[in-house]
Amino acid sequence: MAPATELTVGQVAMRSGVAVSALHFYEARGLIRSHRTSGNQRRYGRDVLRRVAIIKVAQEVGISLAEIGEALASLPEGRTPTRDDWNLLSTAWRDGLDHKIAQLKKLRDGLTDCIGCGCMSIDKCPLRNKGDRLAREGTGARRLIAP
Amino acid sequence: MAPATELTVGQVAMRSGVAVSALHFYEARGLIRSHRTSGNQRRYGRDVLRRVAIIKVAQEVGISLAEIGEALASLPEGRTPTRDDWNLLSTAWRDGLDHKIAQLKKLRDGLTDCIGCGCMSIDKCPLRNKGDRLAREGTGARRLIAP
DNA sequence: CTACAAGCTCAACTTAACTTGAGGTCAAGC
DNA sequence: GCTTGACCTCAAGTTAAGTTGAGCTTGTAG
């Protein structure tokens, strides 16, 4: 068997673990891209697997498809992304991710401490204040794409 | 003015920063609880503020209301939660939160490294494998409530 | 005592992220 | 050459998490 450099939608679904319908959906949203055979069937390059992997992991930590899409848009459509391309994506997300990590740690470590923090007046709660600042900062989309 | 130990829905909304409609919604879902005045209006104990704070922070990091609800169910309905109550909640969530933190760090630090990780065969991608294991582990609800 | 802001209920609408289904095409094995 | 499974499109349905609106009641300030 020749090294199939192109993948069908079914193969991508199988290897990535997401449903065919979801792949269609991602494509409609511009998160991934394919070209068509003469018979109008989708064919994907191998980098689609990595894109889908990113999508899944990012989603799992609460990043919306819209935000993921914006970030993935920084990756080149034509060629396989280079290390630098990924680096750019990493960098764009870093602040947002750092924030989320901090939030999670607060949840993990802070719940108990919080009991003694003066929460009764919620304004002083360190847990809550973080959330407030974020909420006031803007439109959400802005969150992961550092200004 | 006497120290109002009870809060109206409007007051809770103002202090917690969530909409009145959302509070109604949370109540319908059993995440918070109120009692009613003779005139059928809601009155909340002060601990509702902390509950709402938890809900918001947890949501922001991608935990669903259903999961939050399960966790909050471990808090006593009748009385103000003690340190031990919160501790229980923390502990129940710890594994799930640890996992999420790990995922986030991977996203933050790992995207770039991943380029050299053999991702071409996605099965070997450390980023992806985490996700896979989680996906296969079960029904999602199980994720944050350690077995 | 009355005006009107704040509450109440319930149903319907919204957005995100998909899934399901209907109806039709493509391609590989026998 | 035909059957069967993988694909295709497009519309409609689903779940989560709320929001919006209509119509009606409460409670408080003047």
Side-chain angles (χ1 to χ4, degrees), chain B residues 49-61:
Chain B
L49 293 176
R50 202 138 11 161
R51 275 176 174 260
V52 173
I54 301 282
I55 293 169
K56 290 193 74 179
V57 177
Q59 271 202 301
E60 208 198 318
V61 296

Side-chain angles (χ1 to χ4, degrees), chain A residues 75-146:
Chain A
L75 294 180
E77 283 292 352
R79 57 186 169 74
T80 296
T82 66
R83 187 178 301 262
D84 281 350
D85 295 324
W86 290 105
N87 231 326
L88 221 61
L89 203 170
S90 271
T91 306
W93 274 6
R94 185 169 300 265
D95 285 355
L97 294 177
D98 279 347
H99 173 76
K100 271 184 194 270
I101 289 171
Q103 287 285 91
L104 276 166
K105 284 189 174 160
K106 277 227 152 62
L107 254 185
R108 187 191 58 183
D109 303 329
L111 281 178
T112 304
D113 295 350
C114 199
I115 196 74
C117 79
C119 259
M120 285 315 190
S121 69
I122 205 72
D123 334 278
K124 296 198 184 73
C125 176
L127 206 156
R128 192 42 219 305
N129 284 345
K130 268 290 190 184
D132 280 352
R133 272 190 45 215
L134 194 89
R136 287 194 206 100
E137 250 161 29
T139 54
R142 178 159 295 286
R143 237 187 320 165
L144 284 183
I145 309 303

Side-chain angles (χ1 to χ4, degrees), chain B residues 27-40:
Chain B
E27 194 172 327
R29 287 293 164 89
L31 278 81
I32 59 179
R33 180 184 276 191
S34 66
H35 65 90
R36 301 303 180 100
T37 65
S38 56
N40 195 36

Side-chain angles (χ1 to χ4, degrees), chain B:
Chain B
M1 35 175 122
T5 74
E6 305 254 82
L7 299 164
T8 68
V9 70
Q11 290 171 326
V12 174
M14 192 146 311
R15 302 199 58 160
S16 68
V18 323
V20 170
S21 61
L23 293 172
H24 285 185
F25 182 76
Y26 293 155
E27 194 172 327
R29 287 293 164 89
L31 278 81
I32 59 179
R33 180 184 276 191
S34 66
H35 65 90
R36 301 303 180 100
T37 65
S38 56
N40 195 36
Q41 299 202 346
R42 289 169 177 84
R43 288 300 180 268
Y44 295 95
R46 301 221 141 224
D47 64 306
V48 80
L49 293 176
R50 202 138 11 161
R51 275 176 174 260
V52 173
I54 301 282
I55 293 169
K56 290 193 74 179
V57 177
Q59 271 202 301
E60 208 198 318
V61 296
I63 303 177
S64 74
L65 278 194
E67 288 171 327
I68 298 168
E70 280 188 63
L72 286 182
S74 75
L75 294 180
E77 283 292 354
R79 56 187 170 75
T80 296
T82 66
R83 188 178 300 262
D84 281 350
D85 294 325
W86 290 105
N87 232 327
L88 221 61
L89 203 170
S90 271
T91 306
W93 272 5
R94 185 168 301 264
D95 285 356
L97 293 176
D98 279 346
H99 172 76
K100 271 186 193 270
I101 289 171
Q103 288 285 91
L104 276 166
K105 284 188 174 160
K106 276 224 151 65
L107 254 185
R108 187 191 58 184
D109 303 328
L111 282 178
T112 304
D113 294 350
C114 200
I115 197 74
C117 80
C119 260
M120 285 312 190
S121 67
I122 205 73
D123 334 278
K124 296 199 183 72
C125 177
L127 207 157
R128 194 42 220 306
N129 284 345
K130 268 289 192 186
D132 279 352
R133 272 192 43 217
L134 195 89
R136 286 194 207 102
E137 252 161 28
T139 54
R142 177 161 295 287
R143 236 186 324 164
L144 283 184
I145 309 302

Side-chain angles (χ1 to χ4, degrees), chain A residues 25-45:
Chain A
F25 182 76
Y26 294 154
E27 194 171 327
R29 287 292 164 90
L31 277 81
I32 59 179
R33 180 182 278 191
S34 66
H35 66 90
R36 302 301 180 102
T37 64
S38 56
N40 195 37
Q41 299 201 345
R42 290 170 177 85
R43 288 300 179 269
Y44 296 94

Side-chain angles (χ1 to χ4, degrees), chain A residues 1-6 46:
Chain A
M1 38 173 121
T5 76
E6 305 254 84
R46 302 220 140 225

